[in-house]
Amino acid sequence: MEQGGAGNRLNGCLRFASLAGRAIALERCTQMKIEAITLREIRMPLVHFFETSFGRITDRRILLVTVHCDGVDGWGECTAGEHPFYSEESTSTAWYVLREYLAPAFVGKNLESGREAASRMPAVRMHRMAKAALENAIWDAEAQVKQLPLWKLLGGTRSQLPTGVSIGIQNSHEQLLEKVAVEVAAGYQRIKVKVKPGWDLDVLEKIRARWPQILLSCDANSSYTLEYLDHLKKFDQFRLLMIEQPLWSDEIYFHAMLQRELATSICLDESIHHARHALAAIEMKACRILNIKLGRVGGFAEAIRVHDVALASEMPVWCGGMLESGIGRSHNIALSTLAGFSLPGDISASARYWHEDVIEPAVTVSPQGTIAVNNAAGRGYEIKGDLIERLTVRKEMIWA
Ligand code: OSB
Ligand code: MG
């Protein structure tokens, strides 16, 4: 709904008309003018290091985006890592793309919705985590303007979310088993461990011996090739819920070849950037489960499309995590309320990552391993502005 002059524009409000002396809601007017966009980088030390097949990290450098639109601030988190190892993006490349291309295309513009923002992204190839940070901030603002919980705006229906944990590679098997014990005792519904050649069969064997019944999966982050076929077949004995992204990060077809040889279900993470990839993977039978990450697919609009494609094929999905601060975490929670998110997600409690999270309340998980979705308008968690200021190491405001 493009409107005429400024006087005609009613920003972020319910428009009422008085009819026969009674006020009735005519329409929800959500024209949002983006006055400015703030980019900031915060540094947050992790409670415990996190190690995958591509390395160990102890401190996060997180890029946050704030869209300022008449009285409402929408927040988005960029899930790019410190280094371009999980994907080609990093905190620094996302800053560059947001600063030079994405933010300038949106400041001074009127938008109705996060979905519209997705359709108006400038023609920058890839850099989906940078785009997602901005698009998701606009959805966050839209939910506040409409006074709706973000999860309802997305079309979610679930109110109790099954939750799992992702446990990185540790210094020793003993240290890993201790970590698993802590998370099982906390009630998490699914334990996922990182694997790579040299940290796989022994580890899974020890976990299974001690916990024969838990829902267990593993994530290789692309650390195997088809030369490991016989080795990967040995994973079948552990009755895993899935093996996540065993092969190359840019491959779908060869995962289909591998899936035919394994009893264990493959779950794709890195390979899926959008709904067409999801459809291709489903058609090729390259996996039986999909991990959906907001940043990897470029934001809420595409994440919903990936979800819809999977749901139509009855392929279960779950929400992946990228060691997010509370802001990204709250968005992951909102996404996980969609009907197809039937498997436990990596959306675990704030305290597993941070001494103090940047949102209030912190995300907590019940002894049954669920997160209760709250009904407050917007993302459902307040921003701790003072803490974020203290954690900020660089900040730039972009005006029209
Ligand atoms: O592959 O899921 C992954 C973290 C960084 C990069 C890739 C991955 C992960 C995780 C962390 O597994 C999940 C979490 O946020 O707890
Ligand atoms: Mg993964």
Side-chain angles (χ1 to χ4, degrees):
M1 171 182 58
E2 204 45 62
Q3 302 200 0
N8 197 16
R9 199 184 301 122
L10 287 169
N11 294 315
C13 60
L14 273 176
R15 195 154 50 168
F16 289 92
S18 187
L19 187 69
R22 278 193 321 166
I24 55 163
L26 268 189
E27 66 191 274
R28 280 173 189 275
C29 164
T30 62
Q31 229 9 252
M32 299 181 286
K33 173 155 191 201
I34 300 186
E35 285 154 351
I37 294 175
T38 300
L39 304 182
R40 77 169 72 222
E41 179 181 329
I42 60 171
R43 300 269 164 112
M44 291 179 84
L46 286 164
V47 167
H48 184 75
F49 66 81
F50 192 81
E51 184 172 327
T52 63
S53 58
F54 45 76
R56 177 178 290 197
I57 112 135
T58 56
D59 293 274
R60 294 274 357 256
R61 290 177 54 202
I62 299 174
L63 196 172
L64 298 176
V65 175
T66 320
V67 294
H68 308 280
C69 24
D70 356 74
V72 167
D73 280 351
W75 288 78
E77 173 166 344
C78 180
T79 63
E82 294 64 38
H83 308 285
F85 299 160
Y86 167 84
S87 78
E88 77 287 354
E89 292 187 82
S90 69
T91 312
S92 299
T93 68
W95 184 284
Y96 159 72
V97 169
L98 279 155
R99 170 71 191 81
E100 300 297 323
Y101 298 95
L102 308 183
F106 281 92
V107 283
K109 299 281 162 44
N110 285 300
L111 282 178
E112 273 193 47
S113 64
R115 202 177 289 281
E116 186 187 349
S119 70
R120 287 169 60 171
M121 275 295 153
V124 168
R125 283 229 164 103
M126 314 244 278
H127 295 283
R128 291 186 172 85
M129 292 172 179
K131 290 171 182 165
L134 178 57
E135 185 198 311
N136 294 353
I138 295 169
W139 283 90
D140 190 282
E142 181 191 353
Q144 294 174 59
V145 167
K146 289 185 171 166
Q147 282 296 296
L148 271 177
L150 175 59
W151 64 273
K152 284 203 175 152
L153 184 63
L154 301 173
T157 52
R158 295 170 179 273
S159 56
Q160 292 287 334
L161 308 177
T163 302
V165 287
S166 172
I167 305 178
I169 293 165
Q170 305 297 320
N171 291 326
S172 64
H173 290 179
E174 292 64 43
Q175 192 178 27
L176 178 70
L177 292 173
E178 246 168 61
K179 292 257 160 220
V180 175
V182 167
E183 307 301 6
V184 169
Y188 283 102
Q189 294 189 14
R190 185 226 63 210
I191 303 292
K192 147 178 153 185
V193 294
K194 295 288 181 179
V195 291
K196 64 176 183 182
W199 182 275
D200 49 12
L201 298 174
D202 300 354
V203 166
L204 294 169
E205 167 133 46
K206 284 180 185 169
I207 297 173
R208 261 298 173 239
R210 188 149 154 206
W211 295 279
Q213 300 305 336
I214 57 169
L215 211 49
L216 179 65
S217 58
C218 70
D219 186 356
N221 289 112
S222 300
S223 54
Y224 299 93
T225 63
L226 283 173
E227 272 151 33
Y228 283 92
L229 178 59
D230 290 336
H231 182 77
L232 289 167
K233 281 182 181 171
K234 294 182 186 149
F235 284 47
D236 285 345
Q237 66 189 292
F238 303 116
R239 295 170 287 110
L240 303 176
L241 174 63
M242 69 191 105
I243 173 168
E244 193 178 333
Q245 197 71 39
L247 305 176
W248 305 277
S249 63
D250 59 354
E251 250 316 317
I252 296 175
Y253 177 77
F254 290 110
H255 280 99
M257 283 180 64
L258 178 62
Q259 182 66 93
R260 284 199 291 276
E261 304 292 326
L262 299 184
T264 307
S265 293
I266 291 178
C267 169
L268 290 178
D269 173 354
E270 281 91 327
S271 295
I272 307 297
H273 296 176
H274 43 61
R276 277 181 297 103
H277 276 157
L279 196 53
I282 292 167
E283 299 257 311
M284 280 189 241
K285 298 187 171 31
C287 61
R288 300 192 196 116
I289 296 174
L290 281 177
N291 165 332
I292 302 182
K293 286 181 178 165
L294 275 169
R296 195 192 71 226
V297 304
F300 279 121
E302 194 63 22
I304 294 169
R305 276 185 215 112
V306 174
H307 161 273
D308 291 350
V309 161
L311 191 62
S313 304
E314 292 176 26
M315 179 171 289
V317 304
W318 54 280
C319 182
M322 292 292 284
L323 313 175
E324 288 93 343
S325 83
I327 293 168
R329 200 161 294 280
S330 70
H331 289 178
N332 288 344
I333 289 169
L335 179 69
S336 303
T337 64
L338 297 186
F341 284 81
S342 54
L343 293 173
D346 283 346
I347 48 173
S348 33
S350 299
R352 292 191 65 243
Y353 309 83
W354 318 116
H355 298 290
E356 185 181 2
D357 204 343
V358 298
I359 52 162
E360 212 159 31
V363 174
T364 54
V365 172
S366 76
Q368 290 71 43
T370 56
I371 291 177
V373 180
N374 85 49
N375 278 315
R379 80 190 79 77
Y381 298 84
E382 296 295 327
I383 298 289
K384 284 187 178 173
D386 293 345
L387 175 62
I388 290 180
E389 280 305 329
R390 287 203 299 279
L391 299 172
T392 298
V393 295
R394 65 168 160 163
K395 178 165 140 182
E396 191 170 339
M397 214 164 174
I398 294 141
W399 298 88

